[in-house]
């Protein structure tokens, strides 16, 4: 099999399997969340198909698109000269594909994107309020507060632009799009899923803490120390 | 097998299986929630039997009733002239059957009805307070706030009337019956279950958001734009 | 096998299996909840052994005690004259056995008792506050508010007395023992478990509702109408 | 096999299996929690490896370290003179190992340590607020409030020191490290896990209770009576 086909098969399996983490941690209901992954070395990505329930996902149903979100399929010549086909034009990519694609086009180091409507993160997003960094694990993972992105309607690049503009100025791999929900990024799809899981975890814990008073702040220098150690010494 | 018998068997299987979605998403405890589906082309519906635990449901236990909630059974002549029986007069339909039946009689486009006491939706219902549309996914699915229906006692058509009166003036497929809980409708039983799942999801998220402040409103024009796109362009 | 041995075997299996409902609905953690059942026709009861984890429960580990909580074992003559043994003196009954036993001695119609520390019911109990009847399903199941019982220490009959005194003056099959947690009763163990599940459900829903305002009251006459219908017409 | 190897194998299996209790009770997400156990009779401990997901844990992946957290391996001579190897130098111990090790060095009766970021306990920790003893089950298990330990950064012994200083002056087997999360101890790993489960349970219940008012206090004498009975008469 050609290198491209092998890579597509691997990323499709990874992206497919990672949706199980979204349901395991209760980040999504029905079909309302999606994971994508870049195909390294090509201007291609793999994303959840639209409307399929999580139980019915298989690697073959994951849709391959270009970095403008258009589904693509094609043929690839295997090592022995065989012509192999890939792509699944019968399925439509997630309705959030344009936002994922915009991120891949504009953030070349990003290899995975996740979108959910997880309850607590979305609750902060509905108030347009960033999550303050009051937990050591937030220092580790997010290096500061989790920021809010602008209100943006689906249909053009405004969601993608809001994600990229917000994350470019932040240590955080998560952004809370106002009235909408979190988008997270990572070096690959697995890292972006981890960020989505941790984003909901800290959104919930800080929410619960604030229900009965004000959490104690952590000094900016200590946050930087936690983040630096976790990202560089301990190795994320 | 005759067309009627085939349709009854299919709808019974669908309605039976969909109860697993109510437990999966934590919308019901014990036996306190029910799904029904219209039998297209006949003045008949299929509904959960009363008092059976969700583990014990099978397609054959689903009760066939007329559109006044009276259990019916009968025979049908198969293609080869064989006389086939259907119906299960040994089981009593859900105590909420009258409300479901009233909806089918008065809303001809409705093919599925769901009733639960899901926690957050019922909490709004106990205050008699509609859920404001402050999430893009509420715009998509509900096209505005989720409205409250009147207080009504079981025993006659007043619950059914309250549901129909409220939903006829709303984009929303969900109504919060005061002090009682949500009823949802859909073009078929699966759509009504999806509405029940999404209703609890937005009831919880907006509740959580309001615990620490006021969610930001979404403009009415933007809500209509979201709803129109989701229902017509994206296709529900 | 003799009638007594058959009954003991049946009640042990029922009481054992019902513990799975406590974990399924999240009413208990670790080993902190217990179900018991009366052996009809004898001054005997069956209860969870102390300290065993829910995964390790089998019918044979359920402890048979008299109605003062003392483990008993004995022999019974089968129909063919065979002498059969019952009881399991190797295991200690739950540390809450005295409270269960007191209820069976003083409420002859009670065939099952359940104790948990379920989160929301215990939260009301810690404030010493009854749960107001603001949901139609509370009218159905509890026929009014869920009352609070006195603060009582383990070690003598004061917990049992507090349960009996409180429930004798109430429609409710559940009592919230102050700073402690709920005890529920029923005509058999299954009914008492149902009451425990519904008690936590309404404790959570009314709690959530009150977090953002005041739930609307239901008229006393309407509560009585709901309760009467559910208990007598619909049949609990 | 030699006694040491047998003990290492047993503790590795116990520590490995106990991580399933952390996920079962929802105390941890992703890889963010860890259990360790002392190897009785040796200056050795066993702890979760760093970064492995809970699904991938096996007894063999549990890392053996000395009581300064340095991974060790070695050989042991079996009864028949065979030389056997132990240890797994390929895996890195949890990034929290230094804190666990400090506890074992300074509290000789402690045989197990657990660290989580469980939601409600961490929420109290973020406010730097102890959990008041307002539940009889808190009296039983914790013998008073659950105390707060100091803010401390990872990297040296300051977390371990904070744990030991706080717990030496308390009945409680749990400490809430400020802005960080709970650490719990026990006579073995299983007891420490039980303490972690009960800590989150009471953190949640007292939180929920305080959301709608003030829980009723329990007299100090009654707390001592509960604790004494549970620890000595009933036997923890």
């Amino acid at each position: 099999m050609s290198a491209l086909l092998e890579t597509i098969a691997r990323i499709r399996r990874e992206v497919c399997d990672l949706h199980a983490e979204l349901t395991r941690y209760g980040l999504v209901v029905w079909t309302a969340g999606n994971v994508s992954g870049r195909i390294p070395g090509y201007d291609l990505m793999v994303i959840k198909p639209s409307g399929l329930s999580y139980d019915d996902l298989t690697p073959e149903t994951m849709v391959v698109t270009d970095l403008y979100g258009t589904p693509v399929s094609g043929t690839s010549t295997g090592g022995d000269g065989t012509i192999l086909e890939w792509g699944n034009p019968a399925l439509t990519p997630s309705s959030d594909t344009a936002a994922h694609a915009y991120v891949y086009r504009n953030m070349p180091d990003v290899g995975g994107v996740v979108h959910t409507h997880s309850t607590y993160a979305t609750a902060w997003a509905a108030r347009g309020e960033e999550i303050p960094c009051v937990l050591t694990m937030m220092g580790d993972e997010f290096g500061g507060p989790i920021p809010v992105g602008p209100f943006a309607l689906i249909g053009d690049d405004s969601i993608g632009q809001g994600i990229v503009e917000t994350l470019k100025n932040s240590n955080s791999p998560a952004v809370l799009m106002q009235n909408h929900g979190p988008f997270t990024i990572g070096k690959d799809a697995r890292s972006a899923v981890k960020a989505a899981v941790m984003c909901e975890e800290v959104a919930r814990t800080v929410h619960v803490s604030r229900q009965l008073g004000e959490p104690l702040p952590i000094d900016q220098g200590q946050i930087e120390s936690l983040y630096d150690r976790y990202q560089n010494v301990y190795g994320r």
Side-chain angles (χ1 to χ4, degrees), chain A:
Chain A
M1 214 193 313
S2 77
L4 172 59
L5 277 178
E6 273 177 25
T7 305
I8 289 176
R10 176 173 62 81
I11 302 287
R12 272 178 156 168
R13 200 167 45 239
E14 279 175 23
V15 168
C16 175
D17 290 353
L18 284 163
H19 285 88
E21 302 294 319
L22 302 189
T23 55
R24 181 208 294 235
Y25 291 111
L27 306 190
V28 291
V29 299
W30 212 254
T31 63
N34 36 72
V35 178
S36 69
R38 189 194 287 271
I39 300 184
Y42 297 84
D43 283 347
L44 296 172
M45 56 181 268
V46 162
I47 193 164
K48 178 181 176 292
S50 175
L52 246 70
S53 100
Y54 294 110
D55 291 346
D56 296 333
L57 298 184
T58 61
E60 291 69 32
T61 60
M62 297 294 113
V63 183
V64 183
T65 73
D66 64 22
L67 297 190
Y68 289 85
T70 307
V72 291
S73 58
T75 56
S76 178
T77 311
D80 61 353
T82 326
I83 291 171
L84 304 157
E85 288 187 84
W86 51 270
N88 188 338
L91 288 161
T92 312
S94 161
S95 61
D96 296 306
T97 300
H100 291 246
Y102 188 92
V103 174
Y104 291 120
R105 287 206 306 284
N106 289 279
M107 298 183 94
D109 294 343
V110 168
V113 177
V114 173
H115 173 46
T116 78
H117 297 136
S118 64
T119 303
Y120 287 85
T122 303
W124 290 90
R127 290 194 310 273
E129 199 175 342
E130 70 174 23
I131 308 175
C133 184
V134 295
L135 302 171
T136 56
M137 76 172 152
M138 277 192 79
D140 291 346
E141 299 279 351
F142 298 93
I146 299 180
V148 174
F151 182 85
L153 285 186
I154 203 165
D156 57 19
D157 275 342
S158 50
I159 294 177
Q161 284 169 1
I163 297 167
V164 169
E165 288 308 308
T166 311
L167 293 182
K168 279 204 164 156
N169 300 309
S170 175
N171 284 336
S172 169
V175 52
L176 309 174
M177 293 300 285
Q178 185 188 308
N179 294 106
H180 186 169
F183 282 81
T184 60
I185 58 174
K187 67 179 196 298
D188 52 24
R190 184 170 180 81
S191 298
V193 169
K194 181 184 177 187
V197 171
M198 300 308 292
C199 175
E200 179 65 5
E201 181 75 355
V202 303
R204 176 170 41 229
T205 305
V206 179
H207 174 92
V208 169
S209 190
R210 273 190 51 190
Q211 286 187 304
L212 297 181
E214 208 50 47
L216 300 169
I218 305 180
D219 285 351
Q220 184 58 29
Q222 288 167 326
I223 291 171
E224 279 161 24
S225 162
L226 285 164
Y227 185 66
D228 182 60
R229 178 189 161 87
Y230 190 73
Q231 303 295 325
N232 302 317
V233 182
Y234 171 65
R236 181 151 66 159

